[in-house]
Amino acid sequence: MARTVKAIQIEQHGGPEVLKLVDVELAPPAPDEVTVRQHAVGLNFIDIYYRTGLYPHPLPHGLGNEGAGVVQAVGSAVRHLKVGDRVAYAQSPLGAYAEARNVPASVLVKLPKGIGFDDAAAMMLKGLTVQYLFRQTYRLQGGETILFHAAAGGVGLIACQWAKALGVKLIGTVSSPEKAELAMKNGAWKTIDYSRENIVERVMELTKGKKVPVVYDGVGKDTWESSLDCIEPRGLMVSFGNASGPVTGVNVGILSQKGSLYLTRPTLGTHVNTPEKLKSASDELFDLVLKKKIKIAISQRYPLAQAGQAQAELAARKTTGATVLTLD
């Protein structure tokens, strides 16, 4: 039988003010779904892209792809989950900003003991992003020196820790001395404060002119040129986000001019596109968290009703680490 739950929805694109807390009808789960009573929801830049219309989706719609909670009902075709299981997900259809929702069973993983709902909601998308970047897109072996933009952000702080665990020297870009200190505390080898320092010059200094084999760039438009100038010949530019706006109007000839560079624009969905791959990537992430090699830094918590404020502060770069919306 259907029931009513609270959820955030938007009816038009725009600023944080378009987010509305409304009552929505929650139907029983379809055969391949489970109903999850959510305890925490992850906040990510992609949520803002959907709110503004940068990533188009038919209106009206919910927001959010990441959350954690407890299974309340199980569809008839689902075999690997049962009522009462603690679960988390990072790649659901839109609609995570809700008290409860139906989620495809194929995107859910069971949470091990020792990992709480807040940490799970904060780590799934960001942690799995670092997993595919470091272990699949360009498989780090240990010993490399790499450049990672926005090292004090939610993805960045996990990247700093994961790089250290792998024996990789991560140079992280940051926008303030406070963020530089935070990145260093989380395992960055060196930081570059781009508000005061020239990124390319510092990378040349730190690598003794060699540059780096790979740059991981989730910032986009503002860092595109400098990223290319930091990569050694035949190195890889990994453009995985658009925090400053999308990279557009690129002449691919620039890749030859900068040293026969490779360029990829990867997404989590194509790297972790089966339940088996999802479990494997999640297991690697959970293992590092349980071994305390990665600690999830949740610096901001907001109730669901304040999702608009949470997004505004994320967009204004007033946040560090991860932000979660809480439903307890």
Side-chain angles (χ1 to χ4, degrees):
M1 199 171 88
R3 60 192 172 103
T4 300
V5 298
K6 296 280 187 195
I8 296 282
Q9 291 218 316
I10 66 169
E11 295 179 354
Q12 64 191 65
H13 297 128
E17 70 281 354
V18 302
L19 273 65
K20 306 294 183 193
L21 186 66
V22 297
D23 290 326
V24 298
E25 194 171 273
L26 180 64
D32 61 347
E33 293 180 332
V34 302
T35 304
V36 178
R37 156 70 174 100
Q38 306 211 112
H39 287 264
V41 173
L43 183 76
N44 296 285
F45 243 101
I46 193 172
D47 306 346
I48 296 173
Y49 300 159
Y50 279 111
R51 186 198 78 212
T52 61
L54 176 65
Y55 287 6
H57 193 274
L59 292 164
H61 63 72
L63 288 172
N65 306 92
E66 176 181 43
V70 175
V71 174
Q72 281 191 323
V74 178
S76 59
V78 177
R79 298 287 174 265
H80 69 293
L81 294 169
K82 63 184 187 303
V83 172
D85 280 347
R86 300 169 69 252
V87 293
Y89 61 91
Q91 298 181 86
S92 74
L94 290 177
Y97 290 20
E99 290 176 332
R101 64 178 304 217
N102 294 325
V103 181
S106 61
V107 304
L108 287 162
V109 292
K110 288 185 189 178
L111 275 181
K113 288 177 184 172
I115 295 182
F117 295 119
D118 283 15
D119 279 356
M123 83 161 85
M124 286 298 291
L125 187 64
K126 298 171 185 70
L128 291 176
T129 295
V130 177
Q131 196 281 337
Y132 89 74
L133 291 173
F134 282 8
R135 310 301 286 152
Q136 298 187 61
T137 304
Y138 184 103
R139 190 172 174 86
L140 295 169
Q141 306 294 327
E144 299 94 343
T145 301
I146 66 172
L147 181 65
F148 199 101
H149 287 297
V155 175
L157 292 181
I158 294 175
C160 289
Q161 296 174 78
W162 205 315
K164 187 173 184 182
L166 290 170
V168 168
K169 292 179 175 179
L170 182 146
I171 303 169
T173 67
V174 294
S175 60
S176 70
E178 294 76 24
K179 289 189 174 183
E181 184 181 355
L182 188 59
M184 292 295 288
K185 277 185 181 170
N186 279 271
W189 174 60
K190 302 286 184 184
T191 58
I192 300 172
D193 183 344
Y194 59 78
S195 68
R196 296 167 170 77
E197 299 175 289
N198 181 290
I199 293 172
V200 180
E201 288 175 6
R202 282 292 289 142
V203 167
M204 292 293 278
E205 285 173 23
L206 292 168
T207 62
K208 298 182 169 55
K210 192 182 172 199
K211 303 186 181 181
V212 296
V214 59
V215 172
Y216 296 100
D217 189 336
V219 175
K221 178 169 64 78
D222 290 355
T223 49
W224 166 253
E225 285 276 355
S226 57
S227 289
L228 295 180
D229 286 331
C230 293
I231 304 172
E232 65 189 39
R234 299 184 64 193
L236 177 64
M237 168 68 171
V238 183
S239 176
F240 70 95
N242 323 287
S244 67
V247 177
T248 58
V250 174
N251 171 7
V252 295
I254 197 170
L255 299 173
S256 68
Q257 295 163 24
K258 302 290 186 183
S260 300
L261 303 182
Y262 293 89
L263 166 67
T264 184
R265 180 59 175 87
T267 64
L268 177 61
T270 43
H271 283 76
V272 185
N273 58 355
T274 66
E276 294 76 22
K277 289 179 184 175
L278 172 61
K279 184 178 185 307
S280 175
S282 300
D283 285 349
E284 190 172 2
L285 172 63
F286 293 158
D287 184 57
L288 287 167
V289 172
L290 291 169
K291 286 178 176 171
K292 305 203 175 343
K293 291 189 175 180
I294 291 178
K295 187 174 187 299
I296 306 303
I298 301 173
S299 304
Q300 301 81 212
R301 287 177 170 84
Y302 299 84
L304 184 64
Q306 291 177 17
Q309 181 188 342
Q311 285 196 359
E313 297 195 358
L314 177 65
R317 300 186 185 177
K318 292 180 179 175
T319 64
T320 57
T323 302
V324 294
L325 306 176
T326 56
L327 295 117
D328 288 335

